[in-house]
């Protein structure tokens, strides 16, 4: 099959279009013909030696943690997804070979029905990003009606879902983004949007917040540490990118104000994705595709994301 192969650790030139065997299906694995694959920051980080790079046992390797496509082989006759079904799902790379390829083999419990009102291109960028947003906002963050929630990087792939989920669960949503994204984020449900380039969020937020969903961390501008200043006593800080813990959590504990700081581990749960499908079909969630690249330009797609300013998602069109 055709795939965008990671040929070694390095720059975008390490991503090369090539041929690789169709992945094996074992146990409950379902074979899916991929139509679109979402590109995530972890992909470029892994390519350049961080992220999941240490877990790669040999090259070439196939990256990509989310996809949409059509089932071509089910593990048994009464399995939930059968040939011809339109699905989307998340893959745990490198335990499973990634989605920058014509086929993926994936346990059916990591799949869900593709929302009918999303194209394959739109749906391909949803699973990993939305499951991250769900894990941060709903599971770890435990956001509920009436809470004040601050979400850093609301305009990104995870952030635009986090803003909508926090709003769906009844929160007052404050988010940080550059000016050009403000009108769009207001349409998605954000109540207050802070331009992090011209204002310091800790000077602008009038009342303390209950929960911070931190998609930036101390990787930029000490965003994680500064977030502790806007949290109420007993509030919750959920840190998403790696690189800011455990120091950030030690800082939270040292303040002695009962702040709980945590990260979380992502799980490729089809049952949650099935709920997400319903939210899309009810019109409670939407996604935004910033740019679509052909499979041969996977390296360029990763570089666009590494620039740090995509709006919503970047997608690989597998057949382009
Ligand atoms: N632990 C996990 O399981 C997991 C899973 C998924 C993602 N992640 C990590 O979570 C982070 C976010 O992922 P993502 O896919 O949402 O990334 P992304 O789509 O690349 O995020 C891009 C967004 O970040 C915003 N941004 C950049 N600098 C900012 C700042 N200083 N303050 C506020 N917003 C800023 C940009 O907004 P403007 O254009 O308006 O500046 C842009 O919209 C990444 O580090 C990723 O690796 C972790």
């Amino acid at each position: 099959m055709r795939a965008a192969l990671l040929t070694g650790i390095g720059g975008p030139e390490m991503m090369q279009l090539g041929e690789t065997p169709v992945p094996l299906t074992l146990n409950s694995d379902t074979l899916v013909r991929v139509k679109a694959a979402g590109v995530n920051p972890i992909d470029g980080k892994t390519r350049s030696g961080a992220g999941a790079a240490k877990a790669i046992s040999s090259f070439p390797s196939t990256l990509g943690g989310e996809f949409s496509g059509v089932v071509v082989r089910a593990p048994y006759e009464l399995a939930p997804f059968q040939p011809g079904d339109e699905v989307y799902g998340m893959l745990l790379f490198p335990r499973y070979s990634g989605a920058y390829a014509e086929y993926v083999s994936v346990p059916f419990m990591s799949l869900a029905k593709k929302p009918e009102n999303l194209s394959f291109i739109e749906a391909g960028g949803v699973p990993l990003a939305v499951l991250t947003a769900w894990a941060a906002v709903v599971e770890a963050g435990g956001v509920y009606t009436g809470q004040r929630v601050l979400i850093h990087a609301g305009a990104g792939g995870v952030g635009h879902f986090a803003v909508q989920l926090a709003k769906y669960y009844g929160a007052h949503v404050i988010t940080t983004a550059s000016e050009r994204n403000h009108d769009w984020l207001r349409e998605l449900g954000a109540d207050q949007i802070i331009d992090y380039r011209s204002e310091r969020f800790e000077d602008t937020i009038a009342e303390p917040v209950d929960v911070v969903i931190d998609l930036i961390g101390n990787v930029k501008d000490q965003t994680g540490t500064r977030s502790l200043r806007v949290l109420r006593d007993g509030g919750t800080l959920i840190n998403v990118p790696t690189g800011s813990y455990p120091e950030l959590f030690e800082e939270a504990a040292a303040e002695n104000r009962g702040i709980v700081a945590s990260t979380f581990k992502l799980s490729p749960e089809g049952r949650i994705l099935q709920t997400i499908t319903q939210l899309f079909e009810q019109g409670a969630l939407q996604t935004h595709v910033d740019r679509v690249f052909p499979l041969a330009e996977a390296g360029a797609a990763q570089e666009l994301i590494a620039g740090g300013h995509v709006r919503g998602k970047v997608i690989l069109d597998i057949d382009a």
Side-chain angles (χ1 to χ4, degrees), residues 12-192:
E13 70 286 354
M14 302 312 276
M15 299 301 307
Q16 296 284 338
L17 200 59
E19 289 286 326
T20 192
V22 172
L24 289 174
T25 49
L26 297 168
N27 300 318
S28 72
D29 290 344
T30 301
L31 192 67
V32 177
R33 173 64 166 86
V34 180
K35 297 279 194 185
V39 183
N40 287 286
I42 182 84
D43 303 345
K45 291 177 190 175
T46 298
R47 187 207 71 219
S48 44
K54 285 200 178 84
I56 298 175
S57 54
S58 65
F59 294 99
S61 172
T62 310
L63 297 171
E66 61 185 0
F67 60 90
S68 62
V70 178
V71 172
V72 290
R73 191 163 69 234
Y76 52 88
E77 288 72 9
L78 290 175
F81 301 103
Q82 292 293 318
D85 287 352
E86 297 185 352
V87 294
Y88 65 160
M90 181 187 150
L91 283 166
L92 278 179
F93 172 86
R95 187 167 295 167
Y96 282 83
S97 183
Y100 291 9
E102 285 180 317
Y103 293 90
V104 289
S105 164
V106 55
F108 66 66
M109 66 184 183
S110 298
L111 291 172
K113 177 175 124 15
K114 178 181 83 64
E116 276 172 12
N117 54 344
L118 294 192
S119 65
F120 281 109
I121 291 290
E122 289 169 322
V126 169
L128 187 149
V130 86
L131 287 172
T132 305
W134 181 281
V137 172
V138 182
E139 286 172 355
V143 167
Y144 58 84
T145 304
Q147 284 192 314
R148 290 170 56 78
V149 179
L150 168 63
I151 298 169
H152 288 300
V158 177
H160 82 303
F161 291 131
V163 165
Q164 294 175 82
L165 287 173
K167 194 68 196 170
Y168 182 80
Y169 281 98
H172 177 88
V173 179
I174 306 164
T175 191
T176 54
S178 51
E179 173 79 41
R180 69 182 185 98
N181 286 316
H182 287 201
D183 289 345
W184 172 61
L185 284 165
R186 208 163 283 114
E187 281 166 31
L188 293 185
D191 297 290
Q192 183 184 353

Side-chain angles (χ1 to χ4, degrees), residues 39-42 45 128-129 132 152-160 176-181 196-197 214-216 220-221 223 239-242 245 263-266 305-306 308-313:
V39 183
N40 287 286
I42 182 84
K45 291 177 190 175
L128 187 149
T132 305
H152 288 300
V158 177
H160 82 303
T176 54
S178 51
E179 173 79 41
R180 69 182 185 98
N181 286 316
Y196 66 90
R197 295 171 193 256
D214 181 11
L215 294 162
I216 298 291
K220 282 188 195 164
D221 306 326
T223 299
N239 179 241
V240 182
T242 51
Y245 50 84
T263 185
F264 60 86
K265 299 292 173 196
L266 198 50
I305 291 183
H309 298 290
V310 296
R311 177 189 284 190
K313 295 294 303 191

